[in-house]
Amino acid sequence: MQRAALFSGGDAQMAAGDLGELLVPYMPTIRVPKSGDRVYKTECAFSYDSPDSEGGLYVCMNTFLGFGREHIERHYRKTGQCVYLHLKRRVIEKVPGASGGALPKRRNAKLFLDLETNSDLNSDDFEYEDEAKLVIFPDHYEISLPNIEELPALVTIACDALLSAKSPYRKQDPDSWEEELQASKHAKTLVQLDNGVRIPPSGWKCSKCDLRENLWLNLTDGSVLCGKWFFDGSGGNGHAIEHYKETGYPLAVKLGTITPDGADVYSFDEEEPVLDPHIAKHLAHFGIDMLQMQVTENGLRDNDIKPRVSEWEVIQEAGVKLKPMYGPGYTGIKNLGNSCYLSAVMQAIFSIPEFQRAYVGNLPRIFDYSPLDPTQDFNTQMAKLGHGLLSGQYSKPPMKSELIEQVMKEEHKPQHSGISPQMFKAFISKGHPEFSSNRQQDAQEFFLHLINLVERNPVGSENPSDVFRFLVEERTQCCQSRKVRYTERVDYIMQLPVAMEAATNKDELIAYELKRREAEAARRPPPELVRAKIPFSACLQAFSEPSNVEDFWSSALQAKSAGVK
């Protein structure tokens, strides 16, 4: 019969000598984490269980890996490691005071785990309390902490070090989705033309079109040009970036964002927002005094014009009443900071049956054959993410206010609202200069990086990436000799050009563009957006259309010639 004892109070309490003697056989397996060790005390290596989960999290006192209740026995059987630190966070309802309101947080409430709080609960009515125990397998002996006087010094030091260890994902988990801007490499050495250009404090207009908003001042020559076009119809005509391609002048500041504290600066060369430590000097070159500037759009007062809906709000469908979905297949992925490219690709990947079968269907076998450190195994992390997205275990509706009291009494596990792919991102981006950063990335590049890892880490007899694999045959003809060469290549993405000339609603598009320009000139709200309707077949046809080959070398002539591909 399996025994269990709680050595922390009542008749079950043991003397200090008994505790020390109990732990003696396991002392060689207990380590104190060093500065370079990663302590996984917030997330299971095989699932998305955490100390918030019903069973808590078990942290190995030797490898410092964390395991949920469902997976702790697997690690014990594989390694023979017996001593684990069991971490549990409980949600506690505050006791109402004499006035009816909740009392302030109790003085003895313990919080030592680096975890997010449950946003579904009102912090005025609930608080968190963390609990730690030593658990010895296979008999599940439990020793509540702290037991400083009773435990051997090495065990006490190891427990304290584990509890105070920082999250291994600290650098990958910023406070918000926005990245920390870096100083531009061009800021210190930026050359500014002495061309006499002076920029007025308001009334700006693009020098190449009639747009009067989303305007950018080039910090080299003082050109005022419009920004890029957004998919919702807002933005500009892209004249600012066209100017950069023509001149190579790298930095521009957005007019309307200049304040005494700074401004929004973009580097076309570095392709990201940047800091300009010398922005005051660079603006003064064109007659702009930062101390006199305020945040406006073209110098207009707030009540003169309605602000446009931002691109971010459009993406988030702001103002639209959406119905939340929960259960298997409806699990969200939390943003770690500009990680939407990863989330979008992985949600799409695990909607494909071949990937579901390869990883989620083979999950028990993958987990059983995973290495001693599952955080460094590609197939384990893919199976974990796939199960997290598809199982529904981490997609449950928030607690209803009228049921909270009942839920608390039943000690129901906290509700889950998505998974945080910290461990997956840390592994899959390891050693990659771009994906390991918090900068915005291209989803297509990440997809190809993922497919490369899938190809290098086979799972079973089926290669799920074959669902994307296709062969491209290119026929190239020398126009002078008329000789033809055929080449083949394997590809995973077909990049189709958007054939705007094939739009079936050209008259509507022309009328919309006229109305949009009239509205901008009169500073009226823009008309309802009209999108181009382009047949998919037209995009396929444009993909296969012949194209001229620049600098074509004809092997038949052994010289340069005109070529068609």
Side-chain angles (χ1 to χ4, degrees):
M1 180 181 294
Q2 190 178 61
R3 296 173 296 164
L6 182 62
F7 301 149
S8 60
D11 298 333
Q13 182 141 7
M14 297 184 68
D18 294 333
L19 278 179
E21 184 178 346
L22 177 69
L23 288 167
V24 165
Y26 311 109
M27 295 295 283
T29 68
I30 297 176
R31 292 199 304 125
V32 178
K34 299 176 182 177
S35 58
D37 289 329
R38 290 185 162 221
V39 178
Y40 297 91
K41 64 177 183 178
T42 60
E43 181 183 344
C44 173
F46 292 106
S47 71
Y48 291 93
D49 286 349
S50 70
D52 269 331
S53 303
E54 185 178 20
L57 192 73
Y58 296 82
V59 181
C60 175
M61 296 293 289
N62 183 268
T63 63
F64 313 128
L65 295 170
F67 302 95
R69 178 181 291 177
E70 184 181 354
H71 302 283
I72 181 63
E73 294 284 353
R74 173 182 286 108
H75 186 258
Y76 162 71
R77 291 194 305 268
K78 179 176 288 190
T79 64
Q81 174 66 22
C82 296
V83 184
Y84 296 84
L85 186 64
H86 184 226
L87 304 175
K88 184 78 176 73
R89 167 164 286 183
R90 286 187 172 86
V91 182
I92 301 173
E93 186 176 8
K94 295 180 181 178
V95 179
S99 61
L103 291 174
K105 182 173 287 190
R106 298 169 301 169
R107 294 182 179 179
N108 63 343
K110 299 173 292 182
L111 280 173
F112 48 74
L113 297 181
D114 186 14
L115 298 176
E116 298 177 359
T117 56
N118 191 337
S119 59
D120 295 329
L121 297 180
N122 188 333
S123 60
D124 292 334
D125 299 319
F126 297 91
E127 62 185 5
Y128 297 89
E129 185 172 68
D130 298 336
E131 179 183 73
K133 297 177 182 178
L134 277 178
V135 180
I136 304 175
F137 282 74
D139 293 321
H140 292 258
Y141 282 121
E142 295 181 354
I143 306 173
S144 289
L145 298 176
N147 264 324
I148 299 176
E149 296 180 356
E150 295 87 350
L151 294 177
L154 174 67
V155 177
T156 300
I157 295 171
C159 291
D160 287 344
L162 259 69
L163 292 175
S164 61
K166 298 296 182 183
S167 167
Y169 313 111
R170 176 67 64 181
K171 292 183 179 180
Q172 300 179 21
D173 192 14
D175 292 334
S176 71
W177 71 278
E178 296 180 348
E179 61 187 307
E180 183 179 353
L181 300 183
Q182 302 296 321
S184 171
K185 63 181 181 181
H186 301 287
K188 188 175 182 180
T189 58
L190 184 70
V191 176
Q192 294 187 283
L193 303 183
D194 192 10
N195 53 11
V197 172
R198 291 293 179 268
I199 305 300
S202 63
W204 311 299
K205 185 179 80 69
C206 176
S207 60
K208 292 188 177 181
C209 67
D210 295 329
L211 291 185
R212 294 179 175 273
E213 54 187 21
N214 190 23
L215 299 177
W216 295 79
L217 168 67
N218 190 287
L219 291 176
T220 295
D221 63 357
S223 299
V224 176
L225 300 159
C226 59
K228 66 179 181 178
W229 178 84
F230 292 150
F231 72 93
D232 69 329
S234 65
N237 296 316
H239 289 137
I241 192 166
E242 288 179 8
H243 185 65
Y244 160 71
K245 291 177 179 178
E246 295 170 359
T247 64
Y249 300 156
L251 298 183
V253 60
K254 187 173 185 181
L255 294 173
T257 68
I258 304 169
T259 70
D261 298 321
D264 291 350
V265 181
Y266 188 83
S267 171
F268 297 109
D269 178 52
E270 296 160 281
E271 296 184 337
E272 62 182 350
V274 295
L275 292 177
D276 180 1
H278 310 285
I279 185 64
K281 182 182 76 171
H282 291 155
L283 290 172
H285 180 83
F286 299 109
I288 298 177
D289 183 359
M290 286 183 63
L291 297 179
Q292 304 300 318
M293 300 297 286
Q294 296 179 351
V295 177
T296 59
E297 184 68 29
N298 300 335
L300 300 173
R301 297 187 302 274
D302 291 340
N303 57 358
D304 287 336
I305 189 170
K306 290 184 178 180
R308 279 188 179 273
V309 177
S310 70
E311 184 181 18
W312 176 248
E313 289 176 311
V314 173
I315 294 171
Q316 293 293 299
E317 299 182 271
V320 180
K321 189 174 182 180
L322 302 175
K323 181 181 178 181
M325 302 294 289
Y326 301 96
Y330 293 109
T331 304
I333 299 180
K334 296 178 181 178
N335 199 313
L336 303 178
N338 289 329
S339 63
C340 51
Y341 67 94
L342 179 149
S343 301
V345 170
M346 299 315 300
Q347 289 279 15
I349 283 291
F350 281 110
S351 70
I352 298 171
E354 285 80 359
F355 279 84
Q356 295 174 1
R357 287 197 304 267
Y359 294 104
V360 183
N362 286 322
L363 185 141
R365 185 174 64 84
I366 293 174
F367 283 177
D368 284 339
Y369 286 94
S370 66
L372 292 180
D373 186 355
T375 67
Q376 302 303 310
D377 181 63
F378 176 75
N379 290 331
T380 300
Q381 292 306 308
M382 284 287 285
K384 170 184 172 178
L385 182 62
H387 180 263
L389 291 175
L390 301 174
S391 66
Q393 291 183 11
Y394 308 97
S395 177
K396 298 183 178 181
M399 298 179 184
K400 303 294 184 182
S401 57
E402 63 270 16
L403 297 178
I404 287 181
E405 182 175 353
Q406 178 184 350
V407 167
M408 288 300 132
K409 288 180 179 178
E410 295 176 357
E411 295 185 351
H412 194 277
K413 65 182 179 181
Q415 304 299 291
H416 294 279
S417 55
I419 57 179
S420 179
Q422 294 174 313
M423 190 176 291
F424 180 81
K425 183 178 186 295
F427 171 78
I428 204 168
S429 63
K430 187 177 181 181
H432 196 287
E434 291 300 324
F435 301 138
S436 59
S437 72
N438 284 323
R439 294 188 292 271
Q440 295 182 20
Q441 303 299 333
D442 184 78
Q444 175 187 322
E445 293 179 9
F446 178 76
F447 169 76
L448 293 176
H449 175 64
L450 177 75
I451 292 299
N452 184 41
L453 290 174
V454 172
E455 297 275 0
R456 286 160 44 189
N457 297 272
V459 50
S461 58
E462 182 181 14
N463 182 356
S465 65
D466 284 345
V467 72
F468 295 111
R469 186 184 179 96
F470 61 95
L471 194 66
V472 179
E473 180 185 84
E474 292 182 348
R475 178 187 184 275
T476 308
Q477 184 174 33
C478 173
C479 296
Q480 187 172 346
S481 68
R482 312 303 294 176
K483 295 290 182 70
V484 174
R485 181 180 66 213
Y486 289 90
T487 58
E488 293 182 346
R489 74 172 191 274
V490 173
D491 212 335
Y492 295 89
I493 293 179
M494 181 179 287
Q495 300 186 53
L496 298 181
V498 179
M500 292 296 294
E501 65 277 5
T504 59
N505 59 338
K506 290 181 180 178
D507 292 341
E508 293 179 52
L509 291 172
I510 293 172
Y512 164 74
E513 183 61 23
L514 290 174
K515 292 180 181 178
R516 186 180 70 84
R517 293 190 177 186
E518 290 174 359
E520 287 175 348
R523 299 184 182 180
R524 296 195 306 267
E528 186 177 351
L529 176 64
V530 176
R531 302 183 187 276
K533 297 178 181 179
I534 303 171
F536 183 67
S537 57
C539 299
L540 282 174
Q541 184 177 350
F543 174 79
S544 59
E545 285 290 328
S547 59
N548 295 326
V549 182
E550 296 181 4
D551 295 327
F552 175 69
W553 176 264
S554 173
S555 57
L557 301 175
Q558 290 297 302
K560 284 189 176 183
S561 173
V564 176
K565 183 169 66 175

